PDB file of all heavy atoms in Angstrom:
ATOM      1  N   LEU T   1       0.199  -8.504  28.070  1.00 94.00           N
ATOM      2  CA  LEU T   1      -0.538  -7.864  26.971  1.00 94.00           C
ATOM      3  C   LEU T   1      -0.782  -6.385  27.241  1.00 94.00           C
ATOM      4  O   LEU T   1      -0.961  -5.600  26.306  1.00 94.00           O
ATOM      5  CB  LEU T   1      -1.871  -8.578  26.736  1.00 94.00           C
ATOM      6  CG  LEU T   1      -1.810  -9.849  25.901  1.00 94.00           C
ATOM      7  CD1 LEU T   1      -3.187 -10.521  25.830  1.00 94.00           C
ATOM      8  CD2 LEU T   1      -1.293  -9.581  24.503  1.00 94.00           C
ATOM      9  N   GLY T   2      -0.797  -6.004  28.521  1.00 94.00           N
ATOM     10  CA  GLY T   2      -0.995  -4.594  28.830  1.00 94.00           C
ATOM     11  C   GLY T   2       0.106  -3.724  28.257  1.00 94.00           C
ATOM     12  O   GLY T   2      -0.161  -2.646  27.692  1.00 94.00           O
ATOM     13  N   VAL T   3       1.358  -4.180  28.387  1.00 95.00           N
ATOM     14  CA  VAL T   3       2.462  -3.406  27.817  1.00 95.00           C
ATOM     15  C   VAL T   3       2.399  -3.452  26.279  1.00 95.00           C
ATOM     16  O   VAL T   3       2.847  -2.531  25.602  1.00 95.00           O
ATOM     17  CB  VAL T   3       3.838  -3.901  28.304  1.00 95.00           C
ATOM     18  CG1 VAL T   3       3.943  -3.758  29.813  1.00 95.00           C
ATOM     19  CG2 VAL T   3       4.110  -5.346  27.861  1.00 95.00           C
ATOM     20  N   GLY T   4       1.807  -4.535  25.743  1.00 94.00           N
ATOM     21  CA  GLY T   4       1.620  -4.622  24.299  1.00 94.00           C
ATOM     22  C   GLY T   4       0.658  -3.569  23.792  1.00 94.00           C
ATOM     23  O   GLY T   4       0.847  -3.002  22.708  1.00 94.00           O
ATOM     24  N   THR T   5      -0.397  -3.294  24.567  1.00 96.00           N
ATOM     25  CA  THR T   5      -1.344  -2.257  24.194  1.00 96.00           C
ATOM     26  C   THR T   5      -0.644  -0.908  24.082  1.00 96.00           C
ATOM     27  O   THR T   5      -0.806  -0.169  23.090  1.00 96.00           O
ATOM     28  CB  THR T   5      -2.476  -2.155  25.238  1.00 96.00           C
ATOM     29  OG1 THR T   5      -3.207  -3.380  25.240  1.00 96.00           O
ATOM     30  CG2 THR T   5      -3.424  -1.013  24.929  1.00 96.00           C
ATOM     31  N   ALA T   6       0.171  -0.583  25.086  1.00 95.00           N
ATOM     32  CA  ALA T   6       0.906   0.686  25.073  1.00 95.00           C
ATOM     33  C   ALA T   6       1.878   0.735  23.897  1.00 95.00           C
ATOM     34  O   ALA T   6       1.957   1.739  23.170  1.00 95.00           O
ATOM     35  CB  ALA T   6       1.653   0.869  26.385  1.00 95.00           C
ATOM     36  N   GLY T   7       2.618  -0.363  23.702  1.00 96.00           N
ATOM     37  CA  GLY T   7       3.593  -0.393  22.618  1.00 96.00           C
ATOM     38  C   GLY T   7       2.959  -0.273  21.239  1.00 96.00           C
ATOM     39  O   GLY T   7       3.484   0.406  20.371  1.00 96.00           O
ATOM     40  N   LEU T   8       1.826  -0.936  21.043  1.00 96.00           N
ATOM     41  CA  LEU T   8       1.174  -0.887  19.738  1.00 96.00           C
ATOM     42  C   LEU T   8       0.605   0.499  19.450  1.00 96.00           C
ATOM     43  O   LEU T   8       0.621   0.963  18.306  1.00 96.00           O
ATOM     44  CB  LEU T   8       0.074  -1.962  19.663  1.00 96.00           C
ATOM     45  CG  LEU T   8      -0.466  -2.257  18.265  1.00 96.00           C
ATOM     46  CD1 LEU T   8       0.635  -2.654  17.312  1.00 96.00           C
ATOM     47  CD2 LEU T   8      -1.521  -3.354  18.321  1.00 96.00           C
ATOM     48  N   PHE T   9       0.083   1.158  20.486  1.00 96.00           N
ATOM     49  CA  PHE T   9      -0.360   2.547  20.311  1.00 96.00           C
ATOM     50  C   PHE T   9       0.801   3.422  19.852  1.00 96.00           C
ATOM     51  O   PHE T   9       0.665   4.234  18.917  1.00 96.00           O
ATOM     52  CB  PHE T   9      -0.940   3.096  21.614  1.00 96.00           C
ATOM     53  CG  PHE T   9      -2.429   2.997  21.733  1.00 96.00           C
ATOM     54  CD1 PHE T   9      -3.017   2.374  22.810  1.00 96.00           C
ATOM     55  CD2 PHE T   9      -3.263   3.546  20.756  1.00 96.00           C
ATOM     56  CE1 PHE T   9      -4.401   2.269  22.917  1.00 96.00           C
ATOM     57  CE2 PHE T   9      -4.652   3.445  20.843  1.00 96.00           C
ATOM     58  CZ  PHE T   9      -5.214   2.811  21.937  1.00 96.00           C
ATOM     59  N   LEU T  10       1.952   3.264  20.490  1.00 96.00           N
ATOM     60  CA  LEU T  10       3.129   4.061  20.118  1.00 96.00           C
ATOM     61  C   LEU T  10       3.562   3.758  18.687  1.00 96.00           C
ATOM     62  O   LEU T  10       3.942   4.654  17.942  1.00 96.00           O
ATOM     63  CB  LEU T  10       4.276   3.797  21.092  1.00 96.00           C
ATOM     64  CG  LEU T  10       4.079   4.320  22.521  1.00 96.00           C
ATOM     65  CD1 LEU T  10       5.238   3.874  23.417  1.00 96.00           C
ATOM     66  CD2 LEU T  10       3.968   5.841  22.516  1.00 96.00           C
ATOM     67  N   HIS T  11       3.501   2.479  18.324  1.00 97.00           N
ATOM     68  CA  HIS T  11       3.855   2.111  16.950  1.00 97.00           C
ATOM     69  C   HIS T  11       2.918   2.811  15.964  1.00 97.00           C
ATOM     70  O   HIS T  11       3.373   3.393  14.967  1.00 97.00           O
ATOM     71  CB  HIS T  11       3.749   0.597  16.766  1.00 97.00           C
ATOM     72  CG  HIS T  11       3.982   0.160  15.345  1.00 97.00           C
ATOM     73  ND1 HIS T  11       5.237  -0.030  14.812  1.00 97.00           N
ATOM     74  CD2 HIS T  11       3.098  -0.089  14.325  1.00 97.00           C
ATOM     75  CE1 HIS T  11       5.127  -0.382  13.549  1.00 97.00           C
ATOM     76  NE2 HIS T  11       3.851  -0.430  13.221  1.00 97.00           N
ATOM     77  N   GLY T  12       1.607   2.761  16.225  1.00 96.00           N
ATOM     78  CA  GLY T  12       0.663   3.361  15.319  1.00 96.00           C
ATOM     79  C   GLY T  12       0.806   4.871  15.226  1.00 96.00           C
ATOM     80  O   GLY T  12       0.733   5.449  14.133  1.00 96.00           O
ATOM     81  N   LEU T  13       1.015   5.515  16.358  1.00 96.00           N
ATOM     82  CA  LEU T  13       1.049   6.985  16.376  1.00 96.00           C
ATOM     83  C   LEU T  13       2.348   7.559  15.852  1.00 96.00           C
ATOM     84  O   LEU T  13       2.337   8.564  15.124  1.00 96.00           O
ATOM     85  CB  LEU T  13       0.815   7.478  17.810  1.00 96.00           C
ATOM     86  CG  LEU T  13      -0.588   7.240  18.386  1.00 96.00           C
ATOM     87  CD1 LEU T  13      -0.634   7.670  19.860  1.00 96.00           C
ATOM     88  CD2 LEU T  13      -1.646   8.007  17.592  1.00 96.00           C
ATOM     89  N   PHE T  14       3.489   6.920  16.194  1.00 96.00           N
ATOM     90  CA  PHE T  14       4.766   7.568  15.945  1.00 96.00           C
ATOM     91  C   PHE T  14       5.729   6.807  15.041  1.00 96.00           C
ATOM     92  O   PHE T  14       6.718   7.382  14.589  1.00 96.00           O
ATOM     93  CB  PHE T  14       5.471   7.817  17.298  1.00 96.00           C
ATOM     94  CG  PHE T  14       4.688   8.681  18.226  1.00 96.00           C
ATOM     95  CD1 PHE T  14       4.120   8.150  19.362  1.00 96.00           C
ATOM     96  CD2 PHE T  14       4.493  10.035  17.952  1.00 96.00           C
ATOM     97  CE1 PHE T  14       3.379   8.948  20.232  1.00 96.00           C
ATOM     98  CE2 PHE T  14       3.768  10.832  18.811  1.00 96.00           C
ATOM     99  CZ  PHE T  14       3.202  10.293  19.949  1.00 96.00           C
ATOM    100  N   VAL T  15       5.469   5.527  14.776  1.00 96.00           N
ATOM    101  CA  VAL T  15       6.415   4.748  13.971  1.00 96.00           C
ATOM    102  C   VAL T  15       5.831   4.376  12.617  1.00 96.00           C
ATOM    103  O   VAL T  15       6.498   4.507  11.583  1.00 96.00           O
ATOM    104  CB  VAL T  15       6.871   3.479  14.725  1.00 96.00           C
ATOM    105  CG1 VAL T  15       7.782   2.614  13.871  1.00 96.00           C
ATOM    106  CG2 VAL T  15       7.600   3.867  16.016  1.00 96.00           C
ATOM    107  N   ALA T  16       4.588   3.887  12.592  1.00 96.00           N
ATOM    108  CA  ALA T  16       3.995   3.354  11.361  1.00 96.00           C
ATOM    109  C   ALA T  16       4.038   4.350  10.199  1.00 96.00           C
ATOM    110  O   ALA T  16       4.475   3.979   9.096  1.00 96.00           O
ATOM    111  CB  ALA T  16       2.568   2.910  11.641  1.00 96.00           C
ATOM    112  N   PRO T  17       3.597   5.611  10.374  1.00 95.00           N
ATOM    113  CA  PRO T  17       3.630   6.525   9.221  1.00 95.00           C
ATOM    114  C   PRO T  17       5.043   6.765   8.689  1.00 95.00           C
ATOM    115  O   PRO T  17       5.252   6.879   7.478  1.00 95.00           O
ATOM    116  CB  PRO T  17       3.019   7.820   9.789  1.00 95.00           C
ATOM    117  CG  PRO T  17       2.203   7.386  10.954  1.00 95.00           C
ATOM    118  CD  PRO T  17       2.972   6.239  11.548  1.00 95.00           C
ATOM    119  N   ALA T  18       6.015   6.828   9.602  1.00 94.00           N
ATOM    120  CA  ALA T  18       7.397   7.112   9.182  1.00 94.00           C
ATOM    121  C   ALA T  18       7.969   5.962   8.366  1.00 94.00           C
ATOM    122  O   ALA T  18       8.570   6.184   7.294  1.00 94.00           O
ATOM    123  CB  ALA T  18       8.272   7.370  10.407  1.00 94.00           C
ATOM    124  N   ILE T  19       7.788   4.723   8.818  1.00 96.00           N
ATOM    125  CA  ILE T  19       8.394   3.603   8.087  1.00 96.00           C
ATOM    126  C   ILE T  19       7.605   3.273   6.830  1.00 96.00           C
ATOM    127  O   ILE T  19       8.175   2.797   5.839  1.00 96.00           O
ATOM    128  CB  ILE T  19       8.548   2.363   8.983  1.00 96.00           C
ATOM    129  CG1 ILE T  19       7.186   1.825   9.436  1.00 96.00           C
ATOM    130  CG2 ILE T  19       9.431   2.672  10.168  1.00 96.00           C
ATOM    131  CD1 ILE T  19       7.256   0.484  10.132  1.00 96.00           C
ATOM    132  N   ARG T  20       6.280   3.538   6.826  1.00 95.00           N
ATOM    133  CA  ARG T  20       5.476   3.254   5.627  1.00 95.00           C
ATOM    134  C   ARG T  20       5.899   4.152   4.485  1.00 95.00           C
ATOM    135  O   ARG T  20       5.850   3.750   3.312  1.00 95.00           O
ATOM    136  CB  ARG T  20       3.992   3.454   5.937  1.00 95.00           C
ATOM    137  CG  ARG T  20       3.054   3.076   4.773  1.00 95.00           C
ATOM    138  CD  ARG T  20       3.175   1.594   4.466  1.00 95.00           C
ATOM    139  NE  ARG T  20       2.309   1.188   3.380  1.00 95.00           N
ATOM    140  CZ  ARG T  20       2.624   1.307   2.092  1.00 95.00           C
ATOM    141  NH1 ARG T  20       3.798   1.818   1.744  1.00 95.00           N
ATOM    142  NH2 ARG T  20       1.785   0.908   1.148  1.00 95.00           N
ATOM    143  N   ALA T  21       6.352   5.355   4.812  1.00 92.00           N
ATOM    144  CA  ALA T  21       6.776   6.298   3.774  1.00 92.00           C
ATOM    145  C   ALA T  21       8.187   6.024   3.269  1.00 92.00           C
ATOM    146  O   ALA T  21       8.630   6.628   2.285  1.00 92.00           O
ATOM    147  CB  ALA T  21       6.700   7.722   4.314  1.00 92.00           C
ATOM    148  N   SER T  22       8.903   5.089   3.915  1.00 92.00           N
ATOM    149  CA  SER T  22      10.298   4.842   3.559  1.00 92.00           C
ATOM    150  C   SER T  22      10.458   4.012   2.285  1.00 92.00           C
ATOM    151  O   SER T  22      11.531   3.993   1.680  1.00 92.00           O
ATOM    152  CB  SER T  22      11.012   4.116   4.719  1.00 92.00           C
ATOM    153  OG  SER T  22      10.543   2.786   4.832  1.00 92.00           O
ATOM    154  N   GLY T  23       9.410   3.281   1.900  1.00 92.00           N
ATOM    155  CA  GLY T  23       9.509   2.414   0.732  1.00 92.00           C
ATOM    156  C   GLY T  23      10.140   1.069   1.030  1.00 92.00           C
ATOM    157  O   GLY T  23      10.346   0.268   0.119  1.00 92.00           O
ATOM    158  N   ALA T  24      10.446   0.799   2.303  1.00 95.00           N
ATOM    159  CA  ALA T  24      11.056  -0.461   2.688  1.00 95.00           C
ATOM    160  C   ALA T  24       9.993  -1.570   2.738  1.00 95.00           C
ATOM    161  O   ALA T  24       8.790  -1.300   2.760  1.00 95.00           O
ATOM    162  CB  ALA T  24      11.721  -0.336   4.041  1.00 95.00           C
ATOM    163  N   ILE T  25      10.444  -2.829   2.768  1.00 95.00           N
ATOM    164  CA  ILE T  25       9.492  -3.944   2.840  1.00 95.00           C
ATOM    165  C   ILE T  25       9.802  -4.884   4.016  1.00 95.00           C
ATOM    166  O   ILE T  25       9.027  -5.807   4.272  1.00 95.00           O
ATOM    167  CB  ILE T  25       9.443  -4.750   1.533  1.00 95.00           C
ATOM    168  CG1 ILE T  25      10.797  -5.392   1.212  1.00 95.00           C
ATOM    169  CG2 ILE T  25       8.961  -3.870   0.390  1.00 95.00           C
ATOM    170  CD1 ILE T  25      10.742  -6.324   0.018  1.00 95.00           C
ATOM    171  N   THR T  26      10.922  -4.668   4.708  1.00 96.00           N
ATOM    172  CA  THR T  26      11.243  -5.436   5.909  1.00 96.00           C
ATOM    173  C   THR T  26      11.868  -4.492   6.920  1.00 96.00           C
ATOM    174  O   THR T  26      12.311  -3.390   6.567  1.00 96.00           O
ATOM    175  CB  THR T  26      12.230  -6.587   5.636  1.00 96.00           C
ATOM    176  OG1 THR T  26      13.489  -6.031   5.223  1.00 96.00           O
ATOM    177  CG2 THR T  26      11.710  -7.533   4.564  1.00 96.00           C
ATOM    178  N   LEU T  27      11.971  -4.946   8.164  1.00 95.00           N
ATOM    179  CA  LEU T  27      12.606  -4.112   9.194  1.00 95.00           C
ATOM    180  C   LEU T  27      14.088  -3.863   8.872  1.00 95.00           C
ATOM    181  O   LEU T  27      14.531  -2.713   8.944  1.00 95.00           O
ATOM    182  CB  LEU T  27      12.430  -4.783  10.568  1.00 95.00           C
ATOM    183  CG  LEU T  27      12.891  -3.999  11.795  1.00 95.00           C
ATOM    184  CD1 LEU T  27      12.084  -4.417  13.017  1.00 95.00           C
ATOM    185  CD2 LEU T  27      14.384  -4.208  12.073  1.00 95.00           C
ATOM    186  N   PRO T  28      14.879  -4.886   8.536  1.00 96.00           N
ATOM    187  CA  PRO T  28      16.272  -4.589   8.185  1.00 96.00           C
ATOM    188  C   PRO T  28      16.401  -3.701   6.950  1.00 96.00           C
ATOM    189  O   PRO T  28      17.403  -2.988   6.811  1.00 96.00           O
ATOM    190  CB  PRO T  28      16.876  -5.989   7.927  1.00 96.00           C
ATOM    191  CG  PRO T  28      16.017  -6.912   8.727  1.00 96.00           C
ATOM    192  CD  PRO T  28      14.638  -6.332   8.621  1.00 96.00           C
ATOM    193  N   ASP T  29      15.419  -3.753   6.063  1.00 96.00           N
ATOM    194  CA  ASP T  29      15.436  -2.877   4.879  1.00 96.00           C
ATOM    195  C   ASP T  29      15.345  -1.417   5.302  1.00 96.00           C
ATOM    196  O   ASP T  29      15.984  -0.538   4.688  1.00 96.00           O
ATOM    197  CB  ASP T  29      14.263  -3.247   3.953  1.00 96.00           C
ATOM    198  CG  ASP T  29      14.396  -2.648   2.566  1.00 96.00           C
ATOM    199  OD1 ASP T  29      15.530  -2.290   2.181  1.00 96.00           O
ATOM    200  OD2 ASP T  29      13.366  -2.531   1.880  1.00 96.00           O
ATOM    201  N   VAL T  30      14.573  -1.127   6.334  1.00 97.00           N
ATOM    202  CA  VAL T  30      14.526   0.235   6.893  1.00 97.00           C
ATOM    203  C   VAL T  30      15.909   0.637   7.393  1.00 97.00           C
ATOM    204  O   VAL T  30      16.389   1.749   7.146  1.00 97.00           O
ATOM    205  CB  VAL T  30      13.503   0.316   8.051  1.00 97.00           C
ATOM    206  CG1 VAL T  30      13.567   1.697   8.710  1.00 97.00           C
ATOM    207  CG2 VAL T  30      12.097   0.046   7.539  1.00 97.00           C
ATOM    208  N   ILE T  31      16.570  -0.281   8.110  1.00 96.00           N
ATOM    209  CA  ILE T  31      17.902   0.008   8.642  1.00 96.00           C
ATOM    210  C   ILE T  31      18.898   0.253   7.521  1.00 96.00           C
ATOM    211  O   ILE T  31      19.757   1.144   7.611  1.00 96.00           O
ATOM    212  CB  ILE T  31      18.352  -1.146   9.552  1.00 96.00           C
ATOM    213  CG1 ILE T  31      17.464  -1.212  10.802  1.00 96.00           C
ATOM    214  CG2 ILE T  31      19.820  -0.999   9.955  1.00 96.00           C
ATOM    215  CD1 ILE T  31      17.756  -2.365  11.740  1.00 96.00           C
ATOM    216  N   ARG T  32      18.789  -0.514   6.452  1.00 96.00           N
ATOM    217  CA  ARG T  32      19.685  -0.294   5.304  1.00 96.00           C
ATOM    218  C   ARG T  32      19.555   1.114   4.749  1.00 96.00           C
ATOM    219  O   ARG T  32      20.547   1.773   4.431  1.00 96.00           O
ATOM    220  CB  ARG T  32      19.398  -1.313   4.203  1.00 96.00           C
ATOM    221  CG  ARG T  32      20.260  -1.145   2.942  1.00 96.00           C
ATOM    222  CD  ARG T  32      19.866  -2.141   1.860  1.00 96.00           C
ATOM    223  NE  ARG T  32      18.486  -1.937   1.426  1.00 96.00           N
ATOM    224  CZ  ARG T  32      18.092  -1.014   0.572  1.00 96.00           C
ATOM    225  NH1 ARG T  32      18.990  -0.187   0.024  1.00 96.00           N
ATOM    226  NH2 ARG T  32      16.823  -0.921   0.213  1.00 96.00           N
ATOM    227  N   LYS T  33      18.331   1.587   4.629  1.00 95.00           N
ATOM    228  CA  LYS T  33      18.090   2.915   4.076  1.00 95.00           C
ATOM    229  C   LYS T  33      18.599   4.011   4.989  1.00 95.00           C
ATOM    230  O   LYS T  33      18.989   5.083   4.513  1.00 95.00           O
ATOM    231  CB  LYS T  33      16.596   3.102   3.815  1.00 95.00           C
ATOM    232  CG  LYS T  33      16.039   2.232   2.684  1.00 95.00           C
ATOM    233  CD  LYS T  33      14.529   2.383   2.575  1.00 95.00           C
ATOM    234  CE  LYS T  33      13.976   1.519   1.435  1.00 95.00           C
ATOM    235  NZ  LYS T  33      14.381   2.008   0.097  1.00 95.00           N
ATOM    236  N   LEU T  34      18.592   3.773   6.300  1.00 96.00           N
ATOM    237  CA  LEU T  34      18.972   4.826   7.253  1.00 96.00           C
ATOM    238  C   LEU T  34      20.407   4.718   7.748  1.00 96.00           C
ATOM    239  O   LEU T  34      20.988   5.726   8.174  1.00 96.00           O
ATOM    240  CB  LEU T  34      18.026   4.803   8.456  1.00 96.00           C
ATOM    241  CG  LEU T  34      16.545   5.039   8.149  1.00 96.00           C
ATOM    242  CD1 LEU T  34      15.712   4.904   9.415  1.00 96.00           C
ATOM    243  CD2 LEU T  34      16.336   6.399   7.513  1.00 96.00           C
ATOM    244  N   VAL T  35      20.970   3.512   7.713  1.00 97.00           N
ATOM    245  CA  VAL T  35      22.315   3.313   8.269  1.00 97.00           C
ATOM    246  C   VAL T  35      23.271   2.748   7.224  1.00 97.00           C
ATOM    247  O   VAL T  35      24.372   3.253   7.049  1.00 97.00           O
ATOM    248  CB  VAL T  35      22.280   2.377   9.502  1.00 97.00           C
ATOM    249  CG1 VAL T  35      23.687   2.298  10.116  1.00 97.00           C
ATOM    250  CG2 VAL T  35      21.283   2.893  10.531  1.00 97.00           C
ATOM    251  N   GLY T  36      22.872   1.658   6.538  1.00 96.00           N
ATOM    252  CA  GLY T  36      23.754   1.076   5.555  1.00 96.00           C
ATOM    253  C   GLY T  36      23.638  -0.432   5.507  1.00 96.00           C
ATOM    254  O   GLY T  36      22.974  -1.054   6.331  1.00 96.00           O
ATOM    255  N   PRO T  37      24.334  -1.066   4.549  1.00 96.00           N
ATOM    256  CA  PRO T  37      24.178  -2.505   4.322  1.00 96.00           C
ATOM    257  C   PRO T  37      24.737  -3.376   5.458  1.00 96.00           C
ATOM    258  O   PRO T  37      24.194  -4.451   5.714  1.00 96.00           O
ATOM    259  CB  PRO T  37      24.936  -2.749   3.009  1.00 96.00           C
ATOM    260  CG  PRO T  37      25.865  -1.576   2.871  1.00 96.00           C
ATOM    261  CD  PRO T  37      25.156  -0.425   3.504  1.00 96.00           C
ATOM    262  N   LEU T  38      25.834  -2.976   6.096  1.00 96.00           N
ATOM    263  CA  LEU T  38      26.357  -3.793   7.177  1.00 96.00           C
ATOM    264  C   LEU T  38      25.384  -3.856   8.356  1.00 96.00           C
ATOM    265  O   LEU T  38      25.181  -4.909   8.966  1.00 96.00           O
ATOM    266  CB  LEU T  38      27.703  -3.232   7.666  1.00 96.00           C
ATOM    267  CG  LEU T  38      28.911  -3.519   6.759  1.00 96.00           C
ATOM    268  CD1 LEU T  38      30.162  -2.873   7.337  1.00 96.00           C
ATOM    269  CD2 LEU T  38      29.113  -5.006   6.563  1.00 96.00           C
ATOM    270  N   ALA T  39      24.760  -2.725   8.668  1.00 96.00           N
ATOM    271  CA  ALA T  39      23.760  -2.699   9.730  1.00 96.00           C
ATOM    272  C   ALA T  39      22.561  -3.557   9.365  1.00 96.00           C
ATOM    273  O   ALA T  39      21.970  -4.222  10.225  1.00 96.00           O
ATOM    274  CB  ALA T  39      23.315  -1.251   9.993  1.00 96.00           C
ATOM    275  N   GLU T  40      22.197  -3.556   8.082  1.00 96.00           N
ATOM    276  CA  GLU T  40      21.100  -4.403   7.614  1.00 96.00           C
ATOM    277  C   GLU T  40      21.414  -5.874   7.855  1.00 96.00           C
ATOM    278  O   GLU T  40      20.558  -6.627   8.338  1.00 96.00           O
ATOM    279  CB  GLU T  40      20.875  -4.164   6.120  1.00 96.00           C
ATOM    280  CG  GLU T  40      19.821  -5.074   5.500  1.00 96.00           C
ATOM    281  CD  GLU T  40      19.832  -5.041   3.980  1.00 96.00           C
ATOM    282  OE1 GLU T  40      20.884  -4.699   3.400  1.00 96.00           O
ATOM    283  OE2 GLU T  40      18.799  -5.388   3.382  1.00 96.00           O
ATOM    284  N   LYS T  41      22.640  -6.292   7.563  1.00 96.00           N
ATOM    285  CA  LYS T  41      23.027  -7.690   7.763  1.00 96.00           C
ATOM    286  C   LYS T  41      22.970  -8.062   9.245  1.00 96.00           C
ATOM    287  O   LYS T  41      22.531  -9.169   9.600  1.00 96.00           O
ATOM    288  CB  LYS T  41      24.435  -7.936   7.225  1.00 96.00           C
ATOM    289  CG  LYS T  41      24.628  -7.654   5.746  1.00 96.00           C
ATOM    290  CD  LYS T  41      23.828  -8.604   4.875  1.00 96.00           C
ATOM    291  CE  LYS T  41      24.141  -8.344   3.396  1.00 96.00           C
ATOM    292  NZ  LYS T  41      23.248  -9.121   2.520  1.00 96.00           N
ATOM    293  N   TRP T  42      23.434  -7.167  10.090  1.00 94.00           N
ATOM    294  CA  TRP T  42      23.421  -7.427  11.522  1.00 94.00           C
ATOM    295  C   TRP T  42      21.990  -7.655  12.006  1.00 94.00           C
ATOM    296  O   TRP T  42      21.709  -8.630  12.716  1.00 94.00           O
ATOM    297  CB  TRP T  42      24.062  -6.270  12.274  1.00 94.00           C
ATOM    298  CG  TRP T  42      23.781  -6.261  13.752  1.00 94.00           C
ATOM    299  CD1 TRP T  42      22.916  -5.456  14.420  1.00 94.00           C
ATOM    300  CD2 TRP T  42      24.368  -7.120  14.736  1.00 94.00           C
ATOM    301  NE1 TRP T  42      22.911  -5.743  15.755  1.00 94.00           N
ATOM    302  CE2 TRP T  42      23.799  -6.762  15.984  1.00 94.00           C
ATOM    303  CE3 TRP T  42      25.302  -8.149  14.696  1.00 94.00           C
ATOM    304  CZ2 TRP T  42      24.132  -7.400  17.165  1.00 94.00           C
ATOM    305  CZ3 TRP T  42      25.643  -8.777  15.884  1.00 94.00           C
ATOM    306  CH2 TRP T  42      25.069  -8.413  17.098  1.00 94.00           C
ATOM    307  N   ALA T  43      21.106  -6.734  11.641  1.00 94.00           N
ATOM    308  CA  ALA T  43      19.711  -6.852  12.067  1.00 94.00           C
ATOM    309  C   ALA T  43      19.075  -8.125  11.520  1.00 94.00           C
ATOM    310  O   ALA T  43      18.322  -8.823  12.221  1.00 94.00           O
ATOM    311  CB  ALA T  43      18.920  -5.628  11.624  1.00 94.00           C
ATOM    312  N   ALA T  44      19.388  -8.446  10.265  1.00 94.00           N
ATOM    313  CA  ALA T  44      18.806  -9.638   9.658  1.00 94.00           C
ATOM    314  C   ALA T  44      19.270 -10.900  10.367  1.00 94.00           C
ATOM    315  O   ALA T  44      18.484 -11.836  10.580  1.00 94.00           O
ATOM    316  CB  ALA T  44      19.190  -9.693   8.181  1.00 94.00           C
ATOM    317  N   LEU T  45      20.533 -10.949  10.765  1.00 91.00           N
ATOM    318  CA  LEU T  45      21.062 -12.115  11.463  1.00 91.00           C
ATOM    319  C   LEU T  45      20.373 -12.310  12.818  1.00 91.00           C
ATOM    320  O   LEU T  45      19.945 -13.414  13.164  1.00 91.00           O
ATOM    321  CB  LEU T  45      22.568 -11.969  11.668  1.00 91.00           C
ATOM    322  CG  LEU T  45      23.248 -13.105  12.446  1.00 91.00           C
ATOM    323  CD1 LEU T  45      23.105 -14.427  11.705  1.00 91.00           C
ATOM    324  CD2 LEU T  45      24.719 -12.774  12.679  1.00 91.00           C
ATOM    325  N   ILE T  46      20.244 -11.233  13.578  1.00 88.00           N
ATOM    326  CA  ILE T  46      19.604 -11.312  14.889  1.00 88.00           C
ATOM    327  C   ILE T  46      18.146 -11.740  14.763  1.00 88.00           C
ATOM    328  O   ILE T  46      17.648 -12.602  15.507  1.00 88.00           O
ATOM    329  CB  ILE T  46      19.700  -9.969  15.634  1.00 88.00           C
ATOM    330  CG1 ILE T  46      21.108  -9.779  16.172  1.00 88.00           C
ATOM    331  CG2 ILE T  46      18.696  -9.908  16.785  1.00 88.00           C
ATOM    332  CD1 ILE T  46      21.274  -8.596  17.092  1.00 88.00           C
ATOM    333  N   ILE T  47      17.432 -11.158  13.812  1.00 88.00           N
ATOM    334  CA  ILE T  47      16.018 -11.467  13.660  1.00 88.00           C
ATOM    335  C   ILE T  47      15.832 -12.913  13.186  1.00 88.00           C
ATOM    336  O   ILE T  47      14.934 -13.620  13.653  1.00 88.00           O
ATOM    337  CB  ILE T  47      15.329 -10.482  12.696  1.00 88.00           C
ATOM    338  CG1 ILE T  47      15.316  -9.083  13.321  1.00 88.00           C
ATOM    339  CG2 ILE T  47      13.911 -10.915  12.372  1.00 88.00           C
ATOM    340  CD1 ILE T  47      14.879  -7.992  12.379  1.00 88.00           C
ATOM    341  N   ALA T  48      16.673 -13.336  12.257  1.00 86.00           N
ATOM    342  CA  ALA T  48      16.566 -14.712  11.765  1.00 86.00           C
ATOM    343  C   ALA T  48      16.692 -15.713  12.911  1.00 86.00           C
ATOM    344  O   ALA T  48      15.917 -16.685  13.013  1.00 86.00           O
ATOM    345  CB  ALA T  48      17.632 -14.981  10.702  1.00 86.00           C
TER     346      ALA T  48
END
């Protein structure tokens, strides 16, 4: 959990505002907007 504390701080400070402004609703949706649909499928498969 200690590494989780560090990771969550980093998410809040440096990741959350950027992805919230993207208009996406899932993690692979962010990838689709930044990379493309094939990358979205790859991420979706791994996460599923």
Side-chain angles (χ1 to χ4, degrees):
L1 279 176
V3 299
T5 296
L8 194 56
F9 264 126
L10 291 175
H11 175 84
L13 292 175
F14 301 109
V15 176
I19 64 171
R20 184 64 180 83
S22 71
I25 62 173
T26 65
L27 186 153
D29 195 21
V30 174
I31 293 177
R32 178 183 62 80
K33 292 175 179 291
L34 299 177
V35 184
L38 284 179
E40 176 193 23
K41 300 295 185 188
W42 165 256
L45 177 62
I46 284 188
I47 293 170

